[in-house]
Amino acid sequence: MRISDAVAPLNPLFPTHMPATLDTIIIYARNPIATATFYCRYFDYHSSGIMEEGLITLSPTSSGTTLLIHQAAKSIKLEHAGLKLMFTVEDVETYKAKSAALGLEFGNTHQAQGYCFANVKDPDGNSISISSRAFRATPESLT
């Protein structure tokens, strides 16, 4: 099945296309300050550190997605989400070395088709990957 076969046609009641962009990710945390510090230290985010409306806003230093760190309710089971945050880096090994110097140890580097990646967990057990996938060679140049 092609993805175009699985996509439903526009709803006739709403014929106008309404674009939506993913620009913010909410991360539930047992200790929002520790989690905010983690992303600021290892992934080049900045924040006032002030919790407003139960959220700490983290903004990327250059470009990227805004992160909102939200105090997790006791009923939320962390470490069991079907989600992984992937940060694009040009050189995985260099990023791993710089992170290790700051105290963050990534797992083994995995080789894929034309790129590599490595994984780690944040303080709340959320899966994180650093990947050079965006910099991989085009399929034509791999032959």
Side-chain angles (χ1 to χ4, degrees):
M1 175 188 283
R2 295 182 321 219
I3 194 165
S4 60
D5 295 335
V7 176
L10 288 177
N11 183 330
L13 299 176
F14 300 100
T16 306
H17 176 68
M18 297 187 313
T21 58
L22 176 62
D23 65 355
T24 303
I25 295 174
I26 297 174
I27 298 174
Y28 290 100
R30 293 277 179 243
N31 182 338
I33 298 295
T35 300
T37 300
F38 173 86
Y39 285 98
C40 288
R41 180 175 179 132
Y42 300 117
F43 294 100
D44 207 23
Y45 277 81
H46 62 90
S47 174
S48 68
I50 297 171
M51 187 174 288
E52 296 179 48
E53 300 175 355
L55 301 164
I56 299 173
T57 302
L58 305 182
S59 301
T61 300
S62 54
S63 65
T65 303
T66 298
L67 300 178
L68 295 178
I69 310 302
H70 190 293
Q71 176 70 54
K74 290 185 183 356
S75 61
I76 292 180
K77 294 182 190 229
L78 299 177
E79 300 183 32
H80 292 85
L83 178 72
K84 179 186 275 189
L85 300 179
M86 185 175 82
F87 291 89
T88 297
V89 299
E90 192 165 358
D91 185 331
V92 169
E93 291 305 321
T94 298
Y95 198 92
K96 282 177 63 174
K98 288 181 179 182
S99 296
L102 293 171
L104 180 64
E105 295 286 337
F106 281 84
N108 294 332
T109 300
H110 304 279
Q111 296 296 321
Q113 293 182 346
Y115 68 97
C116 57
F117 65 95
N119 300 310
V120 73
K121 300 267 187 178
D122 76 6
D124 296 292
N126 296 307
S127 296
I128 297 171
S129 178
I130 54 171
S131 171
S132 62
R133 187 174 193 272
F135 298 100
R136 74 182 185 270
T138 59
E140 296 84 35
S141 64
L142 292 175
T143 57

